[in-house]
Amino acid sequence: MAKITLSNLRHSYYPNPTEPSDYALKEIDLDWNDGGAYALLGPSGCGKSTLLNIISGLLVPSEGRILFDDKDVTALPPDQRNIAQVFQFPVIYDTMTVYDNLAFPLRNRGRDETTVKTRVTAIAEMLELTDMLDTKAAGLSPDNKQKISMGRGLVREDVNVVMFDEPLTVIDPHLKWKLRSKLKELHQRIKATMIYVTHDQTEALTFADQVVVMQDGEVVQIGTPVELFERPAHTFVGHFIGSPGMNVLPCDLRDGQAYFCEHQVALEGAVVGTPNGKTEIGVRPEFVTLATSGLPATVSKVSDIGRHTVVECDADGSKISAIVDGAGPERGAAVFLQFQQNQTRLYVDGWIATQAEEAQS
Amino acid sequence: MKTVNQKAWFFVLPVLVLVAFNALIPMMTVVNYSVQETFGNNIFLWEGLTWFQQLLTEERFYKALGRQFMFTGLILVIEVPLGIAIALSMPRQGIWVPVCLVLMALPMLIPWNVVGAMWNIFTLPDIGLLGYFLNNVLGINYDMTQDPIAAWVTIITMDVWHWTSLVVLLAYAGLVSIPDAYYQAAKIDGASNWSVFRFIQLPKMKPVLTIAILLRFMDSFNIYTEPFVLTGGGPGNSTTLLSIDLVKRALGQFDLGPAAAMSLIYFAITLLVSWLFYTLMTKDDLN
């Protein structure tokens, strides 16, 4: 187990990158603490798999260094880094039994058969694979195959980090939930550093203690699931996390006050610096309420999501969603919207530009 | 309500007619010949199983059969590993892929009798490029028209040259279909190159290799044109394979009955070996 440090990491798939857009990863500086459960969240093509492959050693970065416990491993091949990786599609060795599959990484490293047996039995127990140890791995269902791939990662006791590259893609929905809680349980038992790559916010938020949100090869925000939800550092995070995502409205800024369609919107706190660029207001649908006064809007769509109703409104051409309890108004109704002040923020060129309200207690 | 539509039979009819004319009727003609004696003029005498008994007690048949198995066995032992080795060393991406594929496909595009003629001229000791080179430059006594071993080396080399590509192309198709994740996982698991081959590449290539071996078995077991053009079955009878012997009987000696009986036995052996091989190779996949 080890702490992993990524220092000034840049990667391009082109031989001579010049433009910033040539880079799949732009300037990454990150520390992964020993024993943490991390998620790497971002849309397809944001560079998260590239980052993962650099940590595992399948890719050598164009620039920068990777340190495991302050030891530079940038040039080391995957088998010398003591890492484990679980891929999107289950990788199993078809001709071997489940037991031999799990024993494979240990046997390749020349461990004696008694150690192999102890480890394999223990891991099989943990993953509930014990009854299948003697069967051929080829005929198993995808979720069991994926468990074997995980098992091959976990079977080495000295593994520095276990990485999961969208491991639940091919798993049936009802088994996804089971496997996800299994993973969480494994993390608590094994205490190895785990990095979980996904584009699914539910998977990321339920698995990880710390979520790293990436976009276009850059880290946009690192935080706990609550932090990401409550105070997105970038409109992208606001959009990407939450369902529906954060409302982002164009606004004008005059004398430190924000105006949307000439309607003054109260912000959570003072604006930082002198904003220069595109200004927007961000507020989550959870903090928008329908009231008798406020911003006038027309209801354009109402969808029932169980205990709540998502009311989509149109205010001067901008779409604003609100989540309300119980049944919402009719489509076409004229309503007034109120934004909860301590959850309304200003974004300049996408980045947050208001100070958080002073803690009141 | 479900209506029974008998029209479908009508659409199958052309295939039935085609199969009847290109397989069933000729086959039944052979069966007809195999149990009768004929002296031409459409006069047939019933002989029963005489030709079969005669053939199966005859040394000439067993010698030809032995040579046939030796030929097929040798070319399989050479072509399959060689084909896999070439497929493994071919590039998986980049501009060299189409170049390699076309180069590989070239020998297979050449008509069989041309291949025989090419290798005949190529290996003749006095005028052939290879034959002359071996005899006069390297000083190796090589003459496939006189020496049975030289003749065998030549027909085996010719077949390897002509058909290894088939194994290469099929094995290559199997290789490129392996997702990268397998190689990456193997790297992380610390697998050696041999383990990667043994536990990933070979199992993934198994279905295509089964087809490749089956095709090569059937083709080489029935081979006629190339060795006939190259050596004509000689020197002596040293390269007289089953098909060459069969044609000698049917057209050389005009023994239509024994030749027909031999055809049927020949066909049965090919079918039996193919079926056995295929069943053995695929029995694991069923359960």
Side-chain angles (χ1 to χ4, degrees), chain B residues 102-122:
Chain B
V102 168
L103 279 179
M104 279 295 134
L106 273 180
M108 292 195 292
L109 298 176
I110 300 171
W112 298 19
N113 56 347
V114 177
V115 171
M118 266 170 54
W119 278 82
N120 188 349
I121 297 166
F122 186 49

Side-chain angles (χ1 to χ4, degrees), chain A residues 56 58 78-79 83-85 87 90-96 104-105 108-109 152 156, chain B residues 180-192 195-196 198-200 203-204 284:
Chain A
S56 62
L58 295 168
D79 55 313
I83 45 104
Q85 189 166 353
F87 296 87
V91 174
I92 51 146
Y93 303 107
D94 288 335
T95 49
M96 298 187 199
F104 192 59
N108 284 333
R109 287 172 174 77
R152 276 208 323 275
R156 283 179 283 140
Chain B
D180 269 350
Y182 277 84
Y183 295 109
Q184 296 176 337
K187 255 192 215 170
I188 290 165
D189 288 339
S192 61
S195 290
V196 170
R198 170 69 186 79
F199 297 115
I200 296 174
K204 294 277 171 202
D284 288 344

Side-chain angles (χ1 to χ4, degrees), chain B residues 153-171:
Chain B
V153 170
T154 315
I155 60 168
I156 298 284
T157 315
M158 173 183 67
D159 198 81
V160 167
W161 175 83
H162 197 184
W163 288 112
T164 305
S165 308
L166 183 79
V167 184
V168 173
L169 294 182
L170 284 168

Side-chain angles (χ1 to χ4, degrees), chain A residues 3 23 51 69 86 135-136 212 215 305 311 318 343 360:
Chain A
K3 177 189 166 189
Y23 284 92
L51 187 58
D69 274 341
V86 177
T135 46
K136 275 250 168 100
V212 179
Q215 186 203 14
I305 52 163
V311 181
S318 295
Q343 296 292 351
Q360 292 163 357

